Amino acid sequence: MTTALHTAPPTASARLRALRPDWLDDPRVWRTEVLAGLVVALALIPEAISFSVIAGVDPAVGLFASFTMAVTISIVGGRRAMISAATGAVALVIGPLNREHGFGYLVAAVILAGAVQIALGALGVAKLMRFVPRSVMVGFVNALAILIFMAQIPEMHDVPWAVYPLLAAGLALMVFFPKVTRAIPAPLVSIVILTVVTVAAGIAVPTVGDKGELPSALPLPGLPDVPFTVDTLTTVAPYALAMALVGLMESLMTAKLVDEITDTRSNKTRESIGQGIANIVTGLLGGMGGCAMIGQTMINVKVSGARTRLSTFLAGAFLMVLCVVFGPVVSDIPMAALVAVMVMVTFATFDWHSIAPATLRRMPVGEIAVMVITVVGVVATGNLAVGVVVGSITAMAIFAKRVAHLVDVSAVTDPDGAGVVYTVTGALFFVSSNDLLTRFDFGGDPARVVIDLTGAHVWDASSVAALDAVTAKYEQRGKTVEIIGLNQHSARIHQSLSGQLTSH
């Protein structure tokens, strides 16, 4: 007699255990994530205060924004371990609105920008990232490293002489301490040691406290203090749209970079929507909004080795704890210690292989030009989005020119001289089709002309218009034209557009 074995369905607790990430049970991962979050929080403080100055708001506004952005995106974002907070790009976009109309309008723009980002994310704008070439990505990374370094120059100019040995000591600690142990992030060790030294020795150097007063309480939710009218909407909408686009571009580019560094994939649609949610939450709590921060993300992922959402969440949480509870201690951190961290981030971020002589000799000139143009565009404007757009447009133009030269037209006349067959190969589109008319001998060809497109592909209306023009010129001379070999897509576009593109 056979006894049937019945497996009991899993209990609710068993299902919850199955959903738990494996790293929750690994103390080494916890240590890495917690310490990484602490390092990032310390680095965020002076950055957030500086961006507040750019936007023309109180330092607490930038710190609140960094707190709410980091905590919210750690839950709703699509890229683990990426840091979002108040950023210079966003501050540059919305700063004029604050100066011209007041803080209430800035908050309204942040909330509206969040709504726009959610809409763009739902519409699949993240899929456009596939059109960003690698040369633009390399240029983006290198330009970012240059911008990070340039942002540190004011902290090294016209300062007490003691700043320079402290800076050198911080860099030395971060280079050599990992050779001793990687259990504790070298940036954290450097910050702690330099702070203790400056406080104990009474060395007078610029500190975090010199950047502005740290907040002493958590933010409270509320609606922006603006009239809810069409005039208000028309005032804030242009700034909100610009902020939404710049924020999404920086966030998606940073997510793509982290994907490459960690060899993992992110959900960029979720990240786009998550950025919108985070900005709405930030606006309702009186923050200035933000997006992904490449510098702090590099500290978190590349320098500290974080890989989970925990580090992002703790970066925001620690930021508020450090400001509200340990404000006096944090205020004593020398700026030299944080500048040293950011200089190390610069060197870790820059793609040195891309400018090696051996690499430059092998790279096509067009690829090098796109990389350089992207870097120049970013550094000249201080806006990552501008550089990426200019670089991508340049790459498309170079690609179009390169592909246009791959079109070939060859002619074979029948032995009896009654007809000629033109064989066209390559991609026919608005660039390559412009020269198509010059490849046919309208006056000298016999009465019957066959155009064989078996090896070609018709991509757009310009190509159809060019084929129509070729046909018309032959027909004006009393000759017949037959187009053969169209593939399914080419035949469909040719059939729907042929004869419809001219008014005469």
Side-chain angles (χ1 to χ4, degrees), residues 416-431:
D416 58 4
V420 62
V421 177
Y422 281 92
T423 302
V424 182
T425 58
L428 296 177
F429 63 112
F430 63 94
V431 177

Side-chain angles (χ1 to χ4, degrees), residues 339-469:
V339 170
V341 172
M342 298 310 292
V343 170
M344 282 298 295
V345 169
T346 296
F347 281 93
T349 302
F350 197 92
D351 187 350
W352 297 101
H353 177 72
S354 67
I355 61 170
T359 303
L360 295 176
R361 281 196 298 269
R362 289 194 297 267
M363 286 278 285
V365 175
E367 300 283 316
I368 297 173
V370 169
M371 180 179 70
V372 172
I373 288 171
T374 303
V375 172
V376 172
V378 172
V379 174
T381 63
N383 190 324
L384 294 166
V386 170
V388 171
V389 170
V390 172
S392 297
I393 292 173
T394 304
M396 291 176 188
I398 292 173
F399 173 77
K401 183 179 179 182
R402 189 180 300 161
V403 173
H405 292 303
L406 298 179
V407 173
D408 183 58
V409 180
S410 59
V412 177
T413 305
D414 291 344
D416 58 4
V420 62
V421 177
Y422 281 92
T423 302
V424 182
T425 58
L428 296 177
F429 63 112
F430 63 94
V431 177
S432 60
S433 61
N434 281 335
D435 298 328
L436 203 59
L437 287 173
T438 64
R439 311 296 289 274
F440 295 86
D441 185 4
F442 300 107
D445 283 338
R448 188 174 63 85
V449 178
V450 177
I451 302 176
D452 185 359
L453 298 178
T454 303
H457 191 105
V458 177
W459 283 106
D460 58 10
S462 298
S463 305
V464 176
L467 291 172
D468 282 354

